[in-house]
Amino acid sequence: MPTLQRRALNRALIERQLLLRRHRMAATTAVGHLVGMQAQAPDPPYAGLWSRLEGFRHEELAGLLTSREVVRVTLLRATVHLVTAEDCLALRPLVQPALDRDLRAATRYAEASAGLPPDALRRAGRAALADGPLTPGELGSALAAEWADRDPAGLAYAVRNLLPLVQVPPRGVWGVGGRTRYATAESWLGRPAADAPPPGAVDTMVTRYLRAYGPASVKDVQTWSGLTRLREVLERLRPGLRTFRDEQGAELFDVPEGPLPDADTPVPVRFLPEFDNILLSHADRVRVLGDVPRSALFTRNGTVRATVLVDGFVRGTWSVVQERGAATLCVEPLGQGAPLSRTERDAVTEEGARLLEFAAAGAGPRDVRVASGGPAPRSTVRATIDERGNPS
């Protein structure tokens, strides 16, 4: 069984995540290929698609949300994902066991629904939403009319896990925002949501994961999906898959057609948003984190920081600060190894300037600041962006 080194796994992931080069691809196709994009916050998917697609504009994704071709729904790992309408209906029944487990483990809310029949909660949730979308507070208040002794917020959380509820626009629309409002997927999409997945659906889901994230171990697939006991699925699929081992000896599964670029393939600098699935979809994340510890990216309050990839690996975090009509992109290098070289800092600055043009197009002065990092005295590499969005 061939062994794949860290860099080989990195290049495979970068290629399959559409990051080796920008693609001429519709946003719906990209979202479908990635099997969704984690989207607790409304804006990150925009930056994620900008880094992957040639000529991507905010209006494309905003239009898909308002036309109901993509939706934001609680899905993989019991977290909010941006998915195509088809995947919302197809994947939601598959991940119900993970949502049930999350509901039992949600210490803040579990008590509110403890002992209540799930079917009764589903019926009450559908009835409350029958007249149109509701905020979580409004949904909780409606449910509390039937269970007055229970916490309304906990009841709303339970229904969110028990029913496929989508977050409707303007939530998620760039530059508009708005409060979270829920509608049932069935009413919003005009199509029935299945109560149970059809035969073979989990096999299809796992195969799609391998196309976008593989080669991967059983634990990797389970980490991505939030589901357990998937070894039997991969064993069932084994005759049609190829297998490898990683440097630690773990068995990796892959689709036969999955690209495996040479480990020395050049990778451009890429800026990834908060919560990007490339950081969340493997049990062993060294293939993209490299020497950066998880604690540098994953905060105590559950946020996953926006990251900068250099040579395919995480080498820093980034954020945009807007004040008094000006916008500054701040890059903070990470890692235990050597600091960014001059060439790498220049590449980060140039790509950062392009990102700032996308993320803060309406700002007046735009500035990119890259801290040097490393053991040497700290300094800052800066680029001012001209009126055409070019660094100077």
Side-chain angles (χ1 to χ4, degrees):
M1 193 177 296
T3 297
L4 294 177
Q5 304 295 321
R6 179 192 299 186
R7 285 183 65 86
L9 288 172
N10 174 269
R11 288 335 192 232
L13 181 62
I14 294 297
E15 170 68 68
R16 299 180 197 200
Q17 284 289 299
L18 310 178
L19 292 167
L20 194 58
R21 60 193 173 280
R22 282 187 168 89
H23 293 253
R24 287 187 173 273
M25 181 184 293
T28 46
T29 304
V31 172
H33 168 76
L34 298 170
V35 204
M37 305 177 75
Q38 191 159 334
Q40 276 98 321
D43 291 344
Y46 288 86
L49 289 170
W50 174 84
S51 287
R52 291 170 165 94
L53 304 180
E54 186 175 335
F56 173 75
R57 299 182 304 157
H58 305 98
E59 295 82 0
E60 184 177 1
L61 179 54
L64 294 172
L65 282 162
T66 55
S67 65
R68 312 188 187 193
E69 295 177 68
V70 300
V71 296
R72 301 174 70 246
V73 61
T74 303
L75 203 67
L76 303 163
R77 303 182 298 279
T79 56
V80 178
H81 273 66
L82 175 80
V83 294
T84 65
E86 291 73 16
D87 277 346
C88 173
L89 299 174
L91 298 179
R92 185 57 174 71
L94 283 172
V95 300
Q96 189 59 52
L99 293 166
D100 292 340
R101 188 171 64 250
D102 171 75
L103 182 55
R104 293 191 297 270
T107 53
R108 179 184 172 190
Y109 298 120
E111 186 177 349
S113 57
L116 298 181
D119 285 345
L121 281 165
R122 291 189 187 97
R123 284 194 298 271
R126 287 193 178 97
L129 292 162
D131 293 330
L134 299 174
T135 67
E138 292 167 343
L139 176 59
S141 296
L143 296 167
E146 184 165 348
W147 294 286
D149 59 334
R150 305 296 180 111
D151 173 37
L155 292 172
Y157 188 91
V159 169
R160 185 207 76 152
N161 278 32
L162 292 170
L163 282 178
L165 302 184
V166 301
Q167 295 187 15
V168 303
R171 182 72 170 172
V173 175
W174 184 272
V176 180
R179 301 169 65 188
T180 297
R181 299 180 70 86
Y182 290 128
T184 64
E186 184 174 29
S187 66
W188 185 251
L189 298 176
R191 286 174 275 175
D195 293 327
V202 68
D203 295 26
T204 300
M205 181 185 73
V206 170
T207 301
R208 291 180 62 192
Y209 166 80
L210 293 176
R211 290 194 183 107
Y213 298 90
S217 68
V218 174
K219 289 183 178 180
D220 290 332
V221 187
Q222 293 179 162
T223 296
W224 167 77
S225 65
L227 299 175
T228 60
R229 301 179 181 178
L230 292 182
R231 175 166 291 280
E232 64 183 55
V233 176
L234 284 157
E235 291 297 337
R236 185 166 61 244
L237 293 171
R238 182 186 290 274
L241 301 176
R242 55 182 176 176
T243 55
F244 305 92
R245 292 202 182 276
D246 66 15
E247 294 174 83
Q248 288 70 47
E251 185 177 26
L252 306 175
F253 296 85
D254 197 18
V255 289
E257 72 279 11
L260 292 173
D262 187 273
D264 294 324
T265 302
V267 176
V269 167
R270 290 289 184 246
F271 282 75
L272 298 180
E274 296 174 317
F275 305 109
D276 197 281
N277 272 3
I278 198 173
L279 302 175
L280 299 165
S281 300
H282 298 86
D284 182 0
R285 300 169 195 182
V286 70
R287 71 180 69 191
V288 64
L289 291 185
D291 297 326
V292 173
R294 291 192 192 189
S295 59
L297 303 177
F298 297 75
T299 67
R300 291 183 179 179
N301 64 0
T303 298
V304 182
R305 291 188 171 100
T307 55
V308 184
L309 303 187
V310 178
D311 189 33
F313 293 92
V314 172
R315 293 291 300 278
T317 61
W318 65 272
S319 61
V320 174
V321 178
Q322 299 198 52
E323 296 180 313
R324 300 176 182 177
T328 302
L329 176 68
C330 302
V331 177
E332 188 73 21
L334 297 171
Q336 305 300 316
L340 295 175
S341 68
R342 171 64 67 178
T343 300
E344 290 171 334
R345 292 201 306 272
D346 288 346
V348 168
T349 302
E350 291 175 9
E351 181 69 359
R354 288 187 282 269
L355 171 62
L356 198 53
E357 171 69 12
F358 172 82
R366 294 192 294 274
D367 192 24
V368 179
R369 301 182 183 181
V370 183
S372 63
R378 298 181 64 80
S379 62
T380 300
V381 177
R382 300 180 59 176
T384 300
I385 315 304
D386 67 20
E387 65 273 11
R388 295 186 179 181
N390 300 312
S392 60

